[in-house]
Amino acid sequence: MKNIKILCASALMLSPLAAVAQEVSDDVVKIGILNDQSGPFADIGGKYSFEAAKMAAEDFGGTVLGKPVEIVTADHQNKADIASNIARQWYDTENVDSIMELTNSSVGLAVQGLSRDAKKITINTGAGTTELTGAQCSPYGFHWAYDTHALAVGTGSALVKEGNDSWYFLTADYAFGYSLEENTANFVKEAGGEILGSVRHPLGTTDYSSFLLQAQASGAKVIGLASAGLDTQNAIKQAAEFGITQAGQKLAALLFTLSEVHGLGLETAQGLYLVESFYWNMNDETRAFGERFLDRTGMMPNMLHAGTYSAVTSYLKAIEAAGTDETEAVAAKLHELPVNDVFVTDGHVAPNGRMMNQVYLMQVKAPGESDVPWDYYNVISTIPGDQAYIAPADSGCPLVE
């Protein structure tokens, strides 16, 4: 009996060592960046978000809990079925631990749902729909960087307060566009404005003439572009060709980033109002990060790129704090730990998975106001996270008590 007790005690002493030896599954932490790399969102995310993720892993030291961090990537081509197939392959045969970025809301919702069933963590930094932290929330799903509610709080309310109280929407025909239009319209109406109508256009179309003519004929003071990427850029270019802004109507780009402003040039984009949650030219830390990113990519980072950097960093911090890459433990730490990095100060994750970060109302500078390359924004106001995002209790997420 004495020998048996000694053996049992020895086993108990060794069990923590056995746990440490298995703290990282497959001896590598593998993160997948799944996004649009060949379509209308390739510049606002794409290979640039992949580089941001690699920067985060490198800045973390390249390892976590003594095991290497590997970043992989794939193009979902803006198709939910393709994205889901890639996610299944990554989980089932390639030992990917977490999937991030997920530009395109239909893709984001599909992959988050699949990952919930697989008990894998997703951090959406590219998708905008509030459904990710609403009715379709997941205990393993997190939403970083922005959402359609935050965009609407800034753009919709601000323009109505300036007297722009009648709106017409050009809306991309998928979940993101619907959500962005609905959220913005609600804030326009709350501020005393009215909605004169809307029209939906296919994702990735190149001819906006009929849609713009309908918006022009409405007489609305503001034409809200509930779209993103090349869709928004092409609509703005064609609106200029029709002389819409010269005739007095304003364009509100409801999701527009530094990448698109650069693509259009200040001459075309000047005066636009938009909302971003990151700007490289805010302070010394953001400027240093921006210059490093520019050296690697030839582009200054927008909120999706910086948000992806933050998401990867936070995920690695959560693994380190949990002492394991096991999903339940890491998800708990993501909810528990504050978020402090180049993207956000004093951010925190709400019970529905929404990371509550500040957002900024921006106005694009005129060419003569820009002092250095990529200096494109005047910051009009800062909106705290608890004002920018839906309160968790009102989100419709069943995880929120």
Side-chain angles (χ1 to χ4, degrees):
M1 288 295 295
K2 182 176 180 181
N3 289 338
I4 290 172
K5 290 179 180 178
I6 292 171
L7 288 171
C8 290
S10 299
L12 289 171
M13 291 173 65
L14 289 171
S15 61
L17 297 177
V20 169
Q22 298 175 12
E23 62 196 1
V24 171
S25 58
D26 308 307
D27 290 328
V28 62
V29 172
K30 188 178 288 189
I31 299 168
I33 303 301
L34 183 57
N35 59 15
D36 175 13
Q37 299 177 11
S38 56
F41 311 128
D43 283 349
I44 67 172
K47 64 183 181 181
Y48 304 104
S49 291
F50 179 46
E51 282 299 319
K54 291 194 292 183
M55 282 179 66
E58 292 166 12
D59 289 351
F60 202 80
T63 64
V64 61
L65 300 178
K67 303 298 182 181
V69 178
E70 183 179 349
I71 311 294
V72 297
T73 190
D75 183 356
H76 59 47
Q77 301 175 47
N78 288 304
K79 297 178 180 177
D81 57 341
I82 291 176
S84 296
N85 288 336
I86 292 170
R88 287 192 188 95
Q89 180 179 334
W90 275 357
Y91 290 151
D92 295 343
T93 66
E94 299 184 29
N95 300 318
V96 168
D97 297 293
S98 175
I99 298 177
M100 302 184 193
E101 221 269 35
L102 295 166
T103 309
N104 181 321
S105 292
S106 58
V107 165
L109 289 168
V111 174
Q112 179 169 284
L114 183 153
S115 301
R116 178 179 58 238
D117 296 338
K119 293 191 175 181
K120 296 283 190 176
I121 286 172
T122 56
I123 306 182
N124 273 273
T125 60
T129 178
T130 54
E131 284 295 290
L132 288 163
T133 51
Q136 298 189 51
C137 67
S138 163
Y140 317 119
F142 299 86
H143 201 178
W144 244 245
Y146 80 103
D147 66 21
T148 53
H149 187 273
L151 300 176
V153 168
T155 312
S157 297
L159 286 175
V160 173
K161 288 176 182 177
E162 292 190 355
N164 302 292
D165 55 3
S166 60
W167 285 60
Y168 190 97
F169 288 96
L170 266 63
T171 301
D173 193 9
Y174 68 113
F176 165 79
Y178 313 151
S179 180
L180 186 52
E181 177 188 334
E182 180 183 7
N183 279 292
T184 306
N186 287 340
F187 280 102
V188 168
K189 289 183 282 190
E190 285 179 14
E194 62 177 330
I195 308 302
L196 301 185
S198 66
V199 62
R200 291 177 177 175
H201 62 78
L203 176 66
T205 188
T206 57
D207 184 3
Y208 291 85
S209 57
S210 65
F211 311 121
L212 287 166
L213 289 172
Q214 290 179 62
Q216 189 176 36
S218 74
K221 295 178 181 177
V222 179
I223 300 172
L225 304 176
S227 56
L230 290 176
D231 285 329
T232 307
Q233 292 184 58
N234 288 332
I236 292 171
K237 289 177 183 177
Q238 291 178 35
E241 293 170 5
F242 287 131
I244 287 177
T245 54
Q246 293 90 328
Q249 287 178 298
K250 289 184 171 63
L251 294 179
L254 303 181
L255 174 54
F256 212 60
T257 72
L258 197 74
S259 312
E260 285 84 10
V261 174
H262 184 73
L264 287 176
L266 292 183
E267 191 65 43
T268 301
Q270 62 181 306
L272 280 172
Y273 283 94
L274 57 97
V275 170
E276 283 215 60
S277 52
F278 176 84
Y279 182 38
W280 73 271
N281 202 14
M282 295 285 286
N283 55 52
D284 289 343
E285 184 182 13
T286 58
R287 281 187 283 273
F289 175 77
E291 292 295 340
R292 290 173 54 217
F293 191 84
L294 181 66
D295 287 343
R296 292 175 71 122
T297 67
M299 179 182 289
M300 279 293 184
N302 63 25
M303 65 181 175
L304 276 69
H305 309 144
T308 300
Y309 178 94
S310 174
V312 171
T313 301
S314 294
Y315 179 66
L316 296 177
K317 286 180 178 178
I319 291 174
E320 186 175 64
T324 176
D325 66 350
E326 190 274 325
T327 296
E328 298 279 359
V330 175
K333 287 298 180 183
L334 281 167
H335 279 283
E336 175 186 326
L337 296 173
V339 185
N340 287 292
D341 51 42
V342 71
F343 176 74
V344 60
T345 300
D346 296 329
H348 69 278
V349 176
N352 62 346
R354 174 68 256 174
M355 199 273 279
M356 311 294 272
N357 57 273
Q358 76 291 317
V359 300
Y360 305 102
L361 174 64
M362 312 284 200
Q363 186 175 27
V364 178
K365 292 182 175 182
E369 295 179 287
S370 180
D371 297 325
V372 296
W374 294 93
D375 174 37
Y376 296 155
Y377 292 157
N378 286 315
V379 180
I380 305 302
S381 62
T382 301
I383 306 166
D386 60 354
Q387 296 177 27
Y389 298 106
I390 299 172
D394 300 328
S395 67
C397 173
L399 300 174
V400 180
E401 295 181 359

